[in-house]
Amino acid sequence: MSTISDSDVVMESRSIRTPEAIPPKSFDDAASAVEHLNFLFERATDFLRKNFKEAARGNMSETRVRAFYPELRFDVSSHIRVDTRLSYGFVAKPGKYRTTITRPDLFRSYLVHQIELLIKNHGLEIVVAESDQPIPLHFAFYDGAHVEGAIPSSEERPLRDVFDVPDLAVMDDAIANGTFRSKDGFEPLAPFTAPRIDYSLHRLQHYTATAPRYFQNFVLFTNYQFYIDGFAQAAKELINDPNSGYKAFVEPGNLITYAGDKEPREGEAPPRLPQMPAYHLIREDNSGITMVNIGVGPSNAKTITDHIAVLRPHAWLMLGHCAGLRSSQQLGDYVLAHGYVREDKVLDADLPTWVPIPPLAEVQVALEEAVEKTTGYSGYDLKRVMRTGTVASIDNRNWELRDHREPVMRLSQSRAIALDMESATIAANGFRFRVPYGTLLCISDKPLHGELKLPGMATDFYRKQVDQHLEIGMKTMEILREMPSERLHSRKLRSFMETAFQ
């Protein structure tokens, strides 16, 4: 195993051990810029890992050990008009811009695309350099590796006295929330900083028991395991269809099944399912489908979308169950949300409730088309099985047990046709993070009309409806996948002062 040599480091003020500094480099080619980002990042994280291994052997450094994230810089000095047909890929005004970068290996395609547009639209080079933002030791280890326990506890020389550790002060969502204010003259180039992304990459491994590299660009959320069971069965059939384009299926524990396999070929099943298990139907270009069982409640819905958002998916949809609020609705009918009453409360501090969450035409049309193809109904006949309307999401699952008059009056005033606990959260966080979103719910009970979800009814309902609902969701994602990205990434999701990166 390699050790740290004097040639690997330069001493700063005799108190910090760092990799030798590398001067900034300019690039007019996006792929070359990303290659250099990857070189700087791997060099920095390898430096931290080597020093940590030495510390684990008992050779704790007498000085602080530090390495830095690479960063992209971009300077624009003119108001000259650029191609703005896309909603991203350019800066809004002259100025100095930068963003720190993590895991260039994981984000290579995304980075190349964003940088290509920036160089093309402005006709300027982009600069790759080492930033002044330290990489926390924990983030130099990927996919949930444990760090703290590898070194015996020592009150005389705690780990944080030698290595940088995660700092929540640099991981906020100020850029995405539109509340960022520059303190050094640089404006943000991307919606997330490297520490914020690293934090979410580690959380994703924890919550879903799957590595971030397996997440696909099209994400389905559900609040019932029945849907996951159906997705797993469909996925294993699709990977054995040579015309499907799907090549593997990944389950919690990074269990990977390929075409022809009777059992997973790689990975290790976890002793118990994680809080929000994820399942991935893989395509070569990450254009497959990920499905996550988020369980019940807006807290889980916010938590998982907070973290998946850093992967910059092309779309996410909610497929869940809801309470029907109209007497004309039947159990098993679908609700296509075109508006939301936000009483989930978990996003109020990040996205005020006065901010409207608009329906996205591209997603709405894809969902309706998928319902038509799956059910065989179209036009006016589609109203037999689906209504479009407002969905209300609340944070109290047992809202029926309080005085009905006040909540029922609000629901009536809002024109809501369905009630659940997650949909508004997922849509609002999609709006906040500029991720195209949509909701298709299935009515499983009508509590205002005496039709409660009882065990026998639920079993019959699930058996009849889950497979069809899931098929609609998967077809929707396939329709969206065929859509040009400039149509899907709508300007509705972007303000008049946005980062250049999508």
Side-chain angles (χ1 to χ4, degrees):
M1 189 177 294
S2 59
T3 59
I4 307 301
S5 66
D6 291 340
S7 63
D8 290 326
V9 298
V10 58
M11 305 301 291
E12 297 181 4
S13 303
R14 298 183 179 275
S15 61
I16 301 178
R17 175 187 285 265
T18 69
E20 185 176 358
I22 293 178
K25 293 182 66 175
S26 298
F27 295 89
D28 60 7
D29 176 70
S32 299
V34 175
E35 285 180 14
H36 192 56
L37 284 168
N38 195 61
F39 165 74
L40 293 178
F41 181 76
E42 289 299 328
R43 174 176 172 266
T45 53
D46 185 58
F47 173 81
L48 292 175
R49 288 190 293 267
K50 285 181 177 178
N51 275 276
F52 178 73
K53 288 176 182 177
E54 285 295 303
R57 291 173 175 157
N59 302 322
M60 182 76 82
S61 173
E62 294 298 320
T63 60
R64 175 163 285 278
V65 174
R66 174 169 289 166
F68 301 92
Y69 286 107
E71 71 176 11
L72 288 171
R73 300 176 191 164
F74 193 67
D75 292 355
V76 177
S77 59
S78 172
H79 283 279
I80 188 171
R81 185 170 177 81
V82 300
D83 186 350
T84 59
R85 285 174 293 178
L86 274 178
S87 62
Y88 59 95
F90 56 89
V91 298
K93 62 180 181 178
K96 298 189 297 181
Y97 298 83
R98 70 179 178 184
T99 187
T100 47
I101 299 293
T102 188
R103 295 296 303 276
D105 61 316
L106 185 63
F107 291 97
R108 185 183 186 283
S109 296
Y110 168 79
L111 290 170
V112 168
H113 180 55
Q114 306 300 318
I115 295 170
E116 276 180 346
L117 289 173
L118 206 55
I119 293 172
K120 175 185 175 183
N121 286 333
H122 291 278
L124 300 171
E125 294 184 333
I126 198 158
V127 176
V128 176
E130 293 178 305
S131 73
D132 58 3
Q133 179 64 56
I135 301 175
L137 173 65
H138 303 66
F139 296 164
F141 293 84
Y142 312 151
D143 298 343
H146 296 286
V147 171
E148 298 275 1
I151 295 180
S153 177
S154 170
E155 294 183 2
E156 295 181 1
R157 195 68 171 151
L159 191 66
R160 65 182 57 233
D161 283 358
V162 179
F163 297 95
D164 291 292
V165 296
D167 179 6
L168 291 179
V170 298
M171 294 182 196
D172 61 47
D173 282 324
I175 301 172
N177 288 351
T179 59
F180 175 84
R181 298 293 179 268
S182 175
K183 298 178 182 178
D184 55 11
F186 282 90
E187 295 296 327
L189 196 58
F192 298 104
T193 63
R196 170 66 173 85
I197 293 172
D198 272 333
Y199 173 74
S200 282
L201 295 182
H202 280 67
R203 292 286 83 194
L204 282 174
Q205 174 72 36
H206 170 75
Y207 284 121
T208 71
T210 56
R213 65 181 179 274
Y214 296 122
F215 277 78
Q216 301 296 288
N217 284 329
F218 297 91
V219 184
L220 294 172
F221 298 110
T222 187
N223 49 12
Y224 278 95
Q225 184 63 29
F226 295 94
Y227 285 82
I228 295 296
D229 295 341
F231 182 69
Q233 180 178 341
K236 290 175 181 177
E237 292 172 0
L238 284 167
I239 62 174
N240 286 293
D241 178 358
N243 298 316
S244 72
Y246 298 106
K247 67 173 189 176
F249 178 58
V250 180
E251 303 171 76
N254 298 323
L255 296 172
I256 307 178
T257 302
Y258 297 95
D261 290 344
K262 293 183 178 180
E263 298 292 337
R265 192 183 306 178
E266 301 176 27
E268 183 178 348
R272 62 189 65 84
L273 282 178
Q275 184 174 342
M276 289 178 275
Y279 300 78
H280 314 279
L281 182 53
I282 307 290
R283 283 173 67 97
E284 195 70 48
D285 57 356
N286 278 93
S287 64
I289 303 172
T290 286
M291 191 165 202
V292 186
N293 182 357
I294 63 174
V296 176
S299 179
N300 276 3
K302 178 183 184 296
T303 296
I304 198 64
T305 49
D306 279 348
H307 299 315
I308 292 178
V310 306
L311 299 175
R312 309 316 294 145
H314 291 328
W316 62 40
L317 302 178
M318 177 65 191
L319 296 182
H321 293 168
C322 64
L325 300 178
R326 303 291 176 92
S327 60
S328 59
Q329 293 169 315
Q330 303 296 320
L331 298 188
D333 283 357
Y334 296 117
V335 173
L336 174 58
H338 75 175
Y340 300 90
V341 176
R342 293 175 51 202
E343 295 194 358
D344 49 329
K345 298 183 175 63
V346 292
L347 276 168
D348 292 1
D350 294 297
L351 191 71
T353 54
W354 54 259
V355 175
I357 309 300
L360 303 182
E362 297 79 9
V363 179
Q364 300 295 98
V365 170
L367 277 163
E368 186 166 328
E369 182 181 339
V371 175
E372 289 180 349
K373 288 181 176 180
T374 305
T375 64
Y377 291 110
S378 62
Y380 185 68
D381 285 339
L382 195 59
K383 290 182 178 290
R384 294 176 183 270
V385 295
M386 188 184 79
R387 298 292 175 91
T388 300
T390 297
V391 171
S393 291
I394 59 172
D395 61 350
N396 178 12
R397 176 61 186 85
N398 294 318
W399 65 276
E400 305 102 316
L401 302 183
R402 59 175 297 185
D403 187 332
H404 282 172
R405 287 170 294 180
E406 188 261 342
V408 169
M409 180 182 69
R410 291 203 319 276
L411 292 171
S412 178
Q413 290 174 325
S414 72
R415 313 300 196 269
I417 65 172
L419 183 73
D420 82 340
M421 299 187 69
E422 301 87 20
S423 294
T425 309
I426 286 171
N429 239 8
F431 181 86
R432 181 165 76 107
F433 291 129
R434 290 74 168 169
V435 176
Y437 52 84
T439 299
L440 184 72
L441 302 176
C442 190
I443 295 173
S444 59
D445 61 340
K446 294 169 58 183
L448 294 182
H449 308 282
E451 294 188 55
L452 303 179
K453 192 187 303 179
L454 301 176
M457 296 165 58
T459 300
D460 185 58
F461 166 77
Y462 295 142
R463 186 170 59 247
K464 290 180 178 178
Q465 289 301 121
V466 167
D467 288 346
Q468 185 183 79
H469 196 187
L470 176 61
E471 183 181 351
I472 292 169
M474 296 178 70
K475 278 186 178 176
T476 302
M477 291 312 203
E478 290 169 351
I479 294 168
L480 294 175
R481 183 169 63 220
E482 298 303 316
M483 191 177 294
S485 62
E486 57 266 25
R487 282 189 58 199
L488 187 54
H489 294 287
S490 170
R491 275 189 168 76
K492 291 190 187 80
L493 297 180
R494 296 176 69 80
S495 72
F496 47 83
M497 291 297 292
E498 281 289 339
T499 62
F501 286 13
Q502 183 270 324

